[in-house]
Amino acid sequence: MIKAARKDFDIHKIAESGQCFRFFPNGENAFVLVAFSRILHIAMQEDAVCLDCTEKEFSELWETYFDLSRDYADIRRAVAPEDAFLRAAVQYGEGMRILAQDPWETLISFIISQRKSIPAIKGAIELLCKSCGETLRDGESVFYAFPTAEKVAALSMEELRACALGYRAKYVQGAATMVAEGKIDLDALRTYDDDALLQTLLTIPGVGSKVANCVMLFAYHRLSGFPRDVWINRIIEEEYGGAFPLSRYKGFEGVIQQYMFYYGRSRARGITETA
DNA sequence: TGCCAGGCTTCAC
DNA sequence: GTGAAGCATGGC
């Protein structure tokens, strides 16, 4: 069990931020995360974050996954003083962090995400994991690891469609086949610069600008990634008259984007008054 | 019941 | 290069 000092870390905001779809509520201020074929119990206390892993796992995996070495307060301080919307967004989102997820899982998750709501995305991903992911037991509970590219590529179109993928089934099959056959090496892409990474991701079926930017940001941790979805476009239109001053936040555009997304979406659901 | 969702592909023009 | 149509389905 690791008990780390809690600084700028809110597991609710991270779990509900729409960048990862495999956090499961596990009591008050606690979640179970399924990632990298492992189960991680996370509990948040007033001044500490508890993770049920070894020191080795923490330093080799989860510290990076949760981006714990970065000072997000620095980023929030960069917000233009006159930008009332963004100031409110970063204040509301304090505790949010940009995750460094597995590229394969992130790629497929965001191919599935297109024109789906977050609850629907979660449902489809669970069906896919259950259909061919490794069974992971956690006491009385059973979870399923995110399936490998080989497992997904081996599914028939009928089996994929049974995972509520709709028209995205052919994209998932195409992407899985590319990865399984080695036509694209997602691990090797870590060495690419931002533009080469983006251009390579765009060659994958079902991956356009938005999905590619999500994968860059939420898997490869390229903070310059700026996914523009319906929420971000709506915010830019309504709050900035169609022109967001993106160049002001060069190098960490993606973090700003995530604060905007989380605040905008929460506000639309009428739950920001709790902030 | 109808609308919307962390969009992409295809095809005119 | 730009714009519009078409796409499957779950959740609210």
Side-chain angles (χ1 to χ4, degrees):
Chain A
M1 173 73 76
I2 293 293
K3 194 168 183 176
R6 184 182 158 214
K7 185 186 176 192
D8 223 318
F9 186 103
D10 188 319
I11 192 59
H12 293 280
K13 294 177 185 176
I14 295 168
E16 295 158 7
S17 66
Q19 53 180 317
C20 175
F21 305 100
R22 307 215 67 207
F23 281 93
F24 303 90
N26 187 34
E28 193 176 355
N29 294 326
F31 283 83
V32 173
L33 166 66
V34 180
F36 303 105
S37 296
R38 307 180 195 203
I39 290 173
L40 181 71
H41 289 253
I42 307 156
M44 190 173 73
Q45 301 174 347
E46 186 65 28
D47 300 317
V49 180
C50 301
L51 308 174
D52 72 331
C53 64
T54 64
E55 288 275 3
K56 189 172 187 301
E57 285 176 322
F58 180 74
S59 63
E60 290 182 355
L61 180 59
W62 302 118
E63 190 172 16
T64 302
Y65 180 88
F66 287 107
D67 196 24
L68 294 179
S69 60
R70 188 180 308 279
D71 187 351
Y72 281 71
D74 277 348
I75 292 174
R76 292 198 300 276
R77 278 192 289 270
V79 170
E82 69 276 13
D83 190 335
F85 173 82
L86 196 49
R87 277 195 293 116
V90 299
Q91 182 181 7
Y92 182 75
E94 182 174 344
M96 169 86 65
R97 309 192 79 85
I98 301 296
L99 302 175
Q101 301 180 73
D102 172 63
W104 159 247
E105 175 174 342
T106 309
L107 171 67
I108 296 302
S109 295
F110 280 94
I111 287 175
I112 291 173
S113 79
Q114 59 184 267
R115 282 179 63 88
K116 270 183 179 292
S117 64
I118 289 176
I121 298 164
K122 289 181 177 176
I125 290 174
E126 286 315 300
L127 287 172
L128 181 63
C129 293
K130 196 169 184 178
S131 75
C132 59
E134 179 190 356
T135 300
L136 304 172
R137 299 197 180 280
D138 180 47
E140 297 294 308
S141 305
V142 174
F143 295 93
Y144 299 92
F146 197 88
T148 63
E150 290 74 16
K151 289 281 190 184
V152 176
L155 294 177
S156 67
M157 190 55 67
E158 188 177 41
E159 289 169 318
L160 285 169
R161 293 295 287 268
C163 299
L165 302 185
Y167 66 91
R168 307 159 196 80
K170 62 179 181 296
Y171 301 152
V172 170
Q173 187 176 62
T177 301
M178 274 184 83
V179 174
E181 293 181 348
K183 289 179 179 169
I184 189 163
D185 183 345
L186 295 176
D187 208 39
L189 298 190
R190 295 181 192 279
T191 63
Y192 287 26
D193 65 33
D194 289 356
D195 189 57
L197 173 58
L198 176 67
Q199 294 307 321
T200 306
L201 290 171
L202 289 173
T203 65
I204 301 171
V207 176
S209 173
K210 191 270 172 181
V211 171
N213 273 275
C214 283
V215 177
M216 286 182 68
L217 181 58
F218 302 137
Y220 294 98
H221 215 264
R222 306 298 175 95
L223 299 188
S224 62
F226 192 85
R228 295 172 186 264
D229 71 336
V230 291
W231 291 97
I232 293 296
N233 286 332
R234 187 179 300 147
I235 289 167
I236 290 176
E237 194 58 41
E238 293 179 357
E239 303 289 339
Y240 298 92
F244 179 71
L246 193 58
S247 60
R248 181 186 175 101
Y249 307 106
K250 192 165 178 54
F252 53 96
E253 297 94 323
V255 185
I256 295 295
Q257 176 275 158
Q258 195 60 11
Y259 282 125
M260 292 167 69
F261 174 80
Y262 182 68
Y263 180 60
R265 185 166 169 273
S266 299
R267 196 175 60 165
R269 293 189 299 167
I271 57 178
T272 54
E273 62 271 17
T274 59

